[in-house]
Amino acid sequence: MAETPFKISIPQALLDRLQQKLALTTLPNELEGSGWDYGVPLADVKRLVARWMDGYDWRHHEAQLNQLPQFTRPIPVDGHGTLDIHYIHQKSEVEGAIPLLFVHGWPGIFLEGSRIVPLLTAKSDDHPSFHVVVLSLPGFGFSEGAKKPGFNIAQYAEIGNKLMLALGYDEYITQGGDWGLAVTRKIAQLYGGKHSKAWHTNMVFGDPPADFDPSTLTSEKQAALARTEGLMKKGMGYRHQQSTKPQTLAYAMTDSPVGLLAWIYEKLVAWTDRYNWTDDEVLTWISIFYFSREGPVGSFRIYYEAMGNETVPMQAFREAPAPEIPLGLSHFPGDLVVVPKSWSRMMGNVVFDSEVHEAGGHFPAYEQPEALAGDLRKMFGKGGPAYGVVPKKLGYRN
Amino acid sequence: MSETPFKISIPDAALQRLQTKLELTTLPDELDGAGWDYGAPLADVKRLVSRWTNGYDWRHHEAQLNASLQQFTRPIAVDGHGTLNIHYVHQRSEVTNAIPLLFVHGWPGSFIEARKILPLLTTNSANHPSFHVVTFSLPGYGFSEAASKPGFGIKQYAEVGHKLMLALGYNEYVTQGGDWGHVITRKIAQVYGGKYSKAWHTNMVMGQPPQGDDAQTELSDEDKQLLARREWHRKKGMGYMAEQSTQPQTLGYALTDSPVGLLAWIYEKLVNWTDNYPWEDDEILTWISIYYFSRAGPAASLRIYYEAMGPHKTDAERGFADGAAPEIPLGLSHFPQEIVALPRSWSRNLGNIVFEAEHDGGGHFAAYEKPNELVDDVRKMFGQNGPAFGVVAGKSGYSTEGKSGL
């Protein structure tokens, strides 16, 4: 049997080494009153490091994570040999549930998709159910990463598609944001129609129309655009570095727990919307990167491969042709890019638009699982625009 | 007396802590055949870490630096930023009327960049001018104190350099700089030029494509090569700048905490920005150690990027084209592997160009890679037959006892 049940079990030696390193943490100073302007504030980092050293219990969180039904299986990728892929797989009690592949991005991880699993698999007469697969992208979590250059979005997509087929889901739908959008979009392009029947994303973007006049937008929408512009000016250094010199960055991020903590924590805060992270939550998220099978560097390389040689910005997320299969969009007010709905028609064959939710940012599956699950139920449920896209998997008990 | 002689003397405890951290180094893997494409290669970093852990002798290099560079510290007041304790090297020439010259380094440079040009610039000869040389550690670098609050920008760095020269009794002086040294000496020339700064020389020649009719000029093959390197740097080599100018504190945690992280971050530039300079491992490690053991720590050295180019600055400021071009005489030295190298025609608006020289080799750290060539240029610019001869009144650079030497 190719599938192996998987339980996270970080060797004690690694935990000990982490503690040794933490005990030697050397911190920089900080400019007076700098707040978040220059990056993550020192007080936050000090507090998190102190907790990581004393009080944070990895084994407890590891055991909690292991309540998720995790597996690994080898998946061959043309030209790249076979990679051992880590994933969550939870079937619904409802036999005719809709197979759904959830794909995270960066700095996402499989944990991001874990909260929607019980919601989507739950059975009800009032909404459809799903069989849920949460993939750890190669190089992230406990999936093996590429060993040679050239492992690009098409290869990530190949992994996702082959995983679903291997699980017996010849036809399925996808959900993804961040790199998950690029990967599921590629899945829709390469395997759409035949295997992927519809795709849904929470990362919405689009171009203004040719005759765009900013003054025609509501002040709310103008503020959203200004906020996006601010985030772009302020927050793209990580992307620039990871897409050009991921290896140079890797030495620091592999060797320094506090360095890695700050690098990722900055985004966990900047990219979420009124989400009250607990320190242990942050530390679990960071620990997964720290203890990941390939180390943090495995997660940077997707930037180099997919963005290092762009001819247009965000090429991997919008390159023609737009997929033809039905597309659903969920709109969350705190994501990095928030555009008027009309601009986002160019993303594909949009059949579903959610309301603009009250709250939620770049990781809505984690921040607002009820809202995201609700949108998927609306899109794929009875009366929804994508009802029945997967033949014989309508999502309901007979 | 405000000036205090200074000798680098890193405490044993700091050396021990570094050693302990090095022994716990955790390295990433690398893609097959990655070469330099993805960043500093693993084999290089492994070798350097191994040497750093075993074999590299900081005390020996510390002693060499102390022996070859006369160092001092003194407090310098900066408007709105209190007083900073500034570390500097001051080497006077035997020639009493030598020309006072301020050398300003950049990132990832340091005062060490001046170590080769110092003996050349100060030396006495009938055949070329001599200089009294001052170089300081920028606040936040080397053994200078760092700014403690936001807003310490190019103007403030310029103020420190200028006030240091005045404090040393050099009311009139000339400057030499590349990287941030270019930007800072440009500001010195703008703010203090004419009255105090009499001329400026740079090896990092900046510029803009010509507009209008001039834009029609065909590019030579050499120009195309220069632009190709510039484009390579722009597309592939500016991640560090994007991060340092927007989130220096975030990056700062990693570079402060991880010796190998800091090593790789800087080593990549020491190789990519130089012209096949034959770095020795100990040379690299000494360069990195100055950052690692710096008074303010490595994170402080990143902040200049935020202050000068951050999201709150204008495009003109970010392009170092703010304000009018300085009027004082300007000398340019073109080194072909400079990362921002460009066609000569693009630099006409930099200032009052009175001297220009081209070289066959050399990169971004000209004073370190090509000390003879750079000093030669500076001597030609300020020497007897040079276009900037006598800019500093009474400081011709020559001995007044007659020019026949022997």
Side-chain angles (χ1 to χ4, degrees), chain A residues 313-379:
Chain A
M314 302 296 281
Q315 193 167 352
F317 297 81
R318 49 185 299 153
E319 196 171 28
E324 289 176 11
I325 57 173
L327 167 62
L329 306 178
S330 282
H331 302 275
F332 289 92
D335 206 344
L336 283 84
V337 175
V338 176
V339 297
K341 285 186 186 177
S342 57
W343 295 13
S344 58
R345 309 300 94 183
M346 40 85 71
M347 288 185 73
N349 175 16
V350 180
V351 304
F352 172 82
D353 263 312
S354 77
E355 59 184 274
V356 178
H357 291 285
E358 281 289 311
H362 195 62
F363 306 102
Y366 192 79
E367 300 175 61
Q368 301 290 337
E370 298 274 0
L372 188 70
D375 286 351
L376 290 165
R377 289 167 178 170
K378 285 198 190 87
M379 178 176 174

Side-chain angles (χ1 to χ4, degrees), chain A residues 146-147 240-255 294-304, chain B residues 26-46 236 260-265 267-268:
Chain A
K147 297 291 169 283
H240 208 138
Q241 182 66 28
Q242 288 170 200
S243 65
T244 55
K245 300 275 190 263
Q247 189 71 16
T248 295
L249 177 65
Y251 298 101
M253 294 298 146
T254 308
D255 186 55
E294 298 289 352
V297 70
S299 75
F300 302 152
R301 290 171 178 147
I302 190 171
Y303 284 85
Y304 185 94
Chain B
T26 309
L27 291 169
D29 73 357
E30 187 180 59
L31 295 180
D32 298 339
W36 276 85
D37 290 351
Y38 290 72
L42 184 57
D44 288 41
V45 174
K46 262 190 181 161
K236 292 290 184 182
V260 66
L262 177 67
L263 167 70
W265 196 258
Y267 174 67
E268 186 217 286

Side-chain angles (χ1 to χ4, degrees), chain B residues 101-106 110 113-114 134-136 138 157 161 175-185 188 203:
Chain B
L101 180 146
L102 175 68
F103 172 87
V104 186
H105 72 80
S110 70
E113 264 179 270
V134 179
T135 186
F136 67 109
L138 294 176
Y157 289 97
T175 67
Q176 204 291 324
D179 198 84
W180 287 116
H182 167 104
V183 182
I184 292 165
T185 55
I188 287 176
N203 50 280

Side-chain angles (χ1 to χ4, degrees), chain A residues 17 20-21 23-34 36-43 45 146-150 230 233-241 243-260 262-264 266-267 290 294 297-298 301 304-305 308-310, chain B residues 17 20-21 23-34 36-43 45 147-151 232 234-240 242-243 246-262 264-265 268-269 272 292 296 299-300 303 306-307 311-313 318:
Chain A
R17 193 180 181 92
Q20 280 182 298
K21 282 177 162 294
L24 287 166
T25 296
T26 309
L27 291 170
N29 74 347
E30 187 181 57
L31 295 178
E32 292 162 21
S34 49
W36 277 85
D37 289 352
Y38 291 71
V40 181
L42 185 58
V45 172
K147 297 291 169 283
K148 52 188 244 233
K233 275 177 91 167
K234 170 91 186 131
M236 291 294 123
Y238 81 97
R239 176 192 286 184
H240 208 138
Q241 182 66 28
S243 65
T244 55
K245 300 275 190 263
Q247 189 71 16
T248 295
L249 177 65
Y251 298 101
M253 294 298 146
T254 308
D255 186 55
S256 171
V258 68
L260 177 66
W263 194 257
I264 294 180
E266 185 206 285
K267 300 315 187 192
Y290 188 77
E294 298 289 352
V297 70
R301 290 171 178 147
Y304 185 94
E305 305 294 354
N309 289 304
E310 287 181 328
Chain B
R17 194 182 175 89
T20 311
K21 278 176 161 298
E23 283 163 11
L24 285 171
T25 295
T26 309
L27 291 169
D29 73 357
E30 187 180 59
L31 295 180
D32 298 339
W36 276 85
D37 290 351
Y38 290 72
L42 184 57
V45 174
S148 57
K149 50 187 248 228
W232 169 75
R234 192 189 67 79
K235 272 189 80 173
K236 292 290 184 182
M238 288 181 60
Y240 79 99
E243 181 68 10
T246 55
Q247 311 276 13
Q249 188 70 10
T250 295
L251 176 64
Y253 296 103
L255 299 189
T256 306
D257 187 54
S258 171
V260 66
L262 177 67
W265 196 258
E268 186 217 286
K269 300 316 185 193
N272 281 340
Y292 189 77
R303 293 170 188 154
Y306 183 94
E307 302 296 356
H312 54 299
K313 306 300 278 187
R318 275 195 224 104

Side-chain angles (χ1 to χ4, degrees), chain A residues 133-155:
Chain A
V133 179
V134 176
L135 165 69
S136 277
L137 288 173
F140 290 73
F142 303 101
S143 283
E144 205 177 346
K147 297 291 169 283
K148 52 188 244 233
F151 197 97
N152 209 331
I153 300 303
Q155 283 65 49

Side-chain angles (χ1 to χ4, degrees), chain A residues 103-283:
Chain A
V103 186
H104 67 78
W106 190 96
I109 34 173
F110 65 93
L111 178 58
E112 201 184 321
S114 64
R115 291 176 171 176
I116 56 172
V117 172
L119 299 172
L120 292 176
T121 53
K123 67 174 188 252
S124 167
D125 291 329
D126 301 326
H127 60 69
S129 306
F130 303 78
H131 301 309
V132 181
V133 179
V134 176
L135 165 69
S136 277
L137 288 173
F140 290 73
F142 303 101
S143 283
E144 205 177 346
K147 297 291 169 283
K148 52 188 244 233
F151 197 97
N152 209 331
I153 300 303
Q155 283 65 49
Y156 289 95
E158 187 180 336
I159 293 268
N161 182 58
K162 281 182 170 171
L163 176 60
M164 293 306 270
L165 299 186
L167 291 172
Y169 302 131
D170 199 62
E171 292 170 321
Y172 56 84
I173 61 171
T174 66
Q175 205 292 322
D178 198 86
W179 286 114
L181 164 60
V183 173
T184 56
R185 187 176 191 278
K186 183 62 76 179
I187 287 176
Q189 278 177 334
L190 296 179
Y191 313 109
K194 180 163 187 206
H195 296 299
S196 178
K197 308 301 271 184
W199 60 307
H200 176 280
T201 185
N202 47 278
M203 182 166 127
V204 179
F205 59 87
D207 298 328
D211 54 354
F212 174 55
D213 173 9
S215 65
T216 60
L217 291 179
T218 63
S219 60
E220 227 178 32
K221 290 214 165 78
Q222 285 186 25
L225 285 183
R227 178 181 160 273
T228 291
E229 203 186 310
L231 285 170
M232 291 302 136
K233 275 177 91 167
K234 170 91 186 131
M236 291 294 123
Y238 81 97
R239 176 192 286 184
H240 208 138
Q241 182 66 28
Q242 288 170 200
S243 65
T244 55
K245 300 275 190 263
Q247 189 71 16
T248 295
L249 177 65
Y251 298 101
M253 294 298 146
T254 308
D255 186 55
S256 171
V258 68
L260 177 66
L261 168 71
W263 194 257
I264 294 180
Y265 176 69
E266 185 206 285
K267 300 315 187 192
L268 295 184
V269 173
W271 293 1
T272 53
D273 179 26
R274 287 161 281 176
Y275 184 77
N276 293 319
W277 291 95
T278 66
D279 287 353
D280 283 8
E281 222 176 341
V282 171
L283 292 172

